[in-house]
Amino acid sequence: MIPNHSFEADEHSCKPDKPEEACGVFGIYAPGEDVAKLTYFGLYALQHRGQESAGIATFEGETVHLHKDMGLVSQVFNESNLGHLPGNLAVGHTRYSTTGSSRVVNAQPVVVETRLGSLALAHNGNLVNTKELREELLARKCEFVSTTDSEAIAVAIGWEVDQGKDWLEAAISAFAMCQGAFSLTIATPQGVMGVRDPHGVRPLVIGTLPTTPQRYVLASETCGLDIIGAEFLRDVQPGELVWITEEGMASFHWSQQQKRKLCVFEMIYFARPDSIMEGENLYTYRLRIGRRLAVESPIDADIVIGVPDSGIPAAIGFSQASGIPYAEGLIKNRYVGRTFIQPTQTMRESGIRMKLNPLKDVLEGKRVIIIDDSIVRGTTSRKIVKALRDAGATEVHMRISSPPVTHPCFYGIDTDNQDQLIAATKSVAEIGEQIGVDSLAFLSREGMLSATNEDTKSFCSACFTGDYPIEIPEMVKRAKLILEKAAT
């Protein structure tokens, strides 16, 4: 999903101080329904997974209709252009914001032409062998219009189709060429596919519409089903391909190497708290890690607050376990979208008030525990701490409901190079000093994983350990890892 590009050194200061999810995908097979509008609402619910671009492709028999553009889902689509997307099936995509690749050509779905008709593909994740795959396809005289690994997957399927295979055979052959993380929704004139890589790093779920005959929906998260009244059926399994046609839904295990490694950051931060993973709403898991954090790193204080919105469930859990009252200390401006207008120097110096504003009446004279889900570079944390002190907090203690992020992700999260990750170069005490808190503590990796109530080996936590479950090519590693650079 991530284009091939390089970051300039000064670009890091412009990036949000959070890991950014790759994207959200959606798919639907529902003849007789307004599939474009249902896809629009599904993407609307998945907007948190990406705010850079959005797109929908529908199939009306052999004819594909496509609309995609830069911006939020509600900015890209309206009643008029949705009305020009007729069909019986659709796939949709909302993409994350990444410096250096804000181009419509990289927006999805990707559409390629084959002997069997058009193919539209939406991808969440990131391949680690994009360079090799692209070179192999170029040697086969394939053509590309973008720089994304997503297009390489679509082109690989198209090439296999053009060698005489049907859609299923071609897709399975192409996936065998792909290494890395990929959850896909793929539309063809015949039907819709939902696919996950053998490790299931990124989520993908199946739902059913309350129609007769039964119709199926695919989405990155269950919140994308809820919004259109679809009922959650189950997850697409790691290494599984589901094929949805007029005959219903068929399942194929295209890989025999399944070894589930769901990204644990989906549990902590990325997915919406009302989405279901591991049989429960993620809000419940986030309460548990907040409670565990209170047990592991207690501190005496007057109030507990959370950084909106992602830190709030853990803050409530911390309050429950510690007995320290929970309060709202920061108000979020929820209408702040992606903007290209740079703030004035005075605004920069005042910190983060465009997005978060402290409640002075709540904070003044108080010893405050503030809970957040992660610290990446520390720039936002430092501004939040300053804002709390300016509002009158007498002490500020920060607790983080995940371990220190010490390694970059190669599987579809836009994290910095390792030397930009504050925990990769500083101790906890040094981080605390840099962001200006009275104390700082992180949740243990054991606490994070055990709170899932699942097999702790079934999650990818490489950003905390450097133990990557899918082998990373040496050249790709060297682009992001400090030690690899030092060894050259």
Side-chain angles (χ1 to χ4, degrees):
M1 163 57 219
I2 300 177
N4 298 323
H5 63 274
S6 59
F7 293 104
E8 297 297 328
D10 61 350
E11 287 179 327
H12 290 283
S13 61
C14 301
K15 297 176 67 176
D17 192 17
K18 290 282 183 184
E20 290 188 272
E21 176 56 276
C23 52
V25 300
F26 190 88
I28 183 169
Y29 184 94
E33 302 291 330
D34 189 339
V35 294
K37 192 167 284 189
L38 290 172
T39 303
Y40 166 82
F41 284 110
L43 295 179
Y44 188 85
L46 297 171
Q47 183 74 84
H48 60 287
R49 297 185 73 88
Q51 297 86 46
E52 182 190 64
S53 64
I56 295 173
T58 63
F59 277 77
E60 185 183 26
E62 297 288 324
T63 303
V64 62
H65 302 277
L66 174 68
H67 182 77
K68 59 184 180 179
D69 207 344
M70 309 305 294
L72 302 175
V73 175
S74 60
Q75 296 168 328
V76 171
F77 295 101
N78 54 46
E79 291 280 1
S80 175
N81 56 39
L82 286 171
H84 290 91
L85 296 174
N88 293 327
L89 57 94
V91 293
H93 188 269
T94 182
R95 186 167 181 267
Y96 81 132
S97 173
T98 176
T99 309
S101 62
S102 295
R103 299 188 297 155
V104 174
V105 71
N106 286 328
Q108 295 187 38
V110 175
V111 175
V112 299
E113 301 302 322
T114 79
R115 69 176 182 88
L116 295 178
S118 299
L119 158 79
L121 177 146
H123 174 205
N124 177 202
N126 191 39
L127 299 187
V128 298
N129 69 326
T130 306
K131 183 176 182 291
E132 296 81 359
L133 177 59
R134 188 181 173 91
E135 287 174 354
E136 184 172 344
L137 293 169
L138 286 170
R140 297 177 184 181
K141 308 302 182 186
C142 296
E143 297 181 354
F144 293 83
V145 297
S146 76
T147 57
T148 65
D149 53 353
S150 310
E151 185 187 21
I153 302 172
V155 168
I157 298 171
W159 188 87
E160 296 287 352
V161 168
D162 290 343
Q163 304 315 298
K165 297 176 180 175
D166 65 22
W167 289 115
L168 277 175
E169 294 171 328
I172 290 171
S173 296
F175 300 150
M177 302 165 63
C178 300
Q179 299 170 26
F182 50 96
S183 286
L184 308 169
T185 54
I186 303 169
T188 74
Q190 189 177 342
V192 174
M193 297 181 201
V195 185
R196 285 178 84 188
D197 67 79
H199 290 83
V201 177
R202 300 279 150 232
L204 189 64
V205 299
I206 308 166
T208 57
L209 288 172
T211 57
T212 304
Q214 193 170 64
R215 300 305 189 186
Y216 293 92
V217 184
L218 300 162
S220 291
E221 298 176 35
T222 61
C223 63
L225 307 177
D226 296 338
I227 194 171
I228 62 168
E231 183 177 349
F232 172 53
L233 181 63
R234 65 175 179 87
D235 292 329
V236 176
Q237 297 302 310
E240 183 185 17
L241 181 159
V242 294
W243 182 222
I244 303 167
T245 64
E246 185 58 37
E247 283 71 45
M249 184 177 72
S251 169
F252 303 87
H253 288 279
W254 65 268
S255 170
Q256 302 308 311
Q257 308 299 317
Q258 302 104 318
K259 188 177 181 182
R260 199 192 84 151
K261 289 288 183 179
L262 176 68
C263 171
V264 75
F265 244 123
E266 294 280 358
M267 306 280 291
I268 295 165
Y269 167 64
F270 289 135
R272 262 180 35 176
D274 54 330
S275 285
I276 296 172
M277 286 188 184
E278 311 309 326
E280 65 182 8
N281 288 126
L282 288 176
Y283 182 87
T284 306
Y285 169 72
R286 292 168 190 176
L287 282 176
R288 283 201 298 272
I289 56 177
R291 294 182 191 127
R292 179 66 179 252
L293 189 57
V295 172
E296 289 186 0
S297 302
I299 190 75
D300 189 26
D302 300 310
I303 58 171
V304 179
I305 68 172
V307 177
D309 289 312
S310 54
I312 289 176
I316 293 171
F318 192 104
S319 170
Q320 290 172 345
S322 66
I324 299 171
Y326 169 79
E328 274 197 88
L330 292 166
I331 299 300
K332 181 179 182 180
N333 181 357
R334 289 176 173 81
Y335 299 96
V336 173
R338 190 164 179 265
T339 176
F340 296 97
I341 308 301
Q342 294 300 311
T344 66
Q345 183 59 32
T346 303
M347 288 174 67
R348 287 195 192 97
E349 290 169 358
S350 71
I352 54 162
R353 295 193 179 184
M354 186 173 174
K355 290 186 177 180
L356 294 173
N357 205 31
L359 283 169
K360 187 173 182 179
D361 288 354
V362 173
L363 300 165
E364 193 166 24
K366 298 292 197 306
R367 297 169 299 164
V368 177
I369 301 169
I370 182 164
I371 311 293
D372 205 355
D373 56 78
S374 61
I375 297 179
V376 177
R377 289 184 304 282
T379 50
T380 298
S381 299
R382 186 171 62 249
K383 291 175 181 177
I384 290 174
V385 172
K386 182 180 184 300
L388 297 178
R389 293 199 189 279
D390 288 347
T394 57
E395 295 178 14
V396 179
H397 303 275
M398 184 167 278
R399 296 293 182 267
I400 305 299
S401 60
S402 66
V405 177
T406 55
H407 289 72
C409 179
F410 296 94
Y411 307 138
I413 301 172
D414 183 27
T415 50
D416 286 302
N417 293 351
Q418 194 176 17
D419 57 4
Q420 296 291 323
L421 302 174
I422 191 171
T425 58
K426 296 183 185 298
S427 68
V428 173
E430 289 170 333
I431 297 170
E433 184 176 352
Q434 180 161 323
I435 65 177
V437 291
D438 292 286
S439 73
L440 171 67
F442 292 81
L443 183 66
S444 68
R445 181 170 172 270
E446 178 192 6
M448 170 188 71
L449 292 173
S450 64
T452 64
N453 293 336
E454 296 288 325
D455 179 1
T456 58
K457 295 179 181 178
S458 66
F459 295 92
C460 177
S461 57
C463 53
F464 307 119
T465 65
D467 182 14
Y468 295 101
I470 305 169
E471 186 176 355
I472 312 297
E474 201 65 26
M475 184 178 296
V476 178
K477 273 187 183 180
R478 290 183 181 183
K480 281 190 171 184
L481 293 179
I482 295 172
L483 295 177
E484 297 293 339
K485 288 181 179 178
T488 59

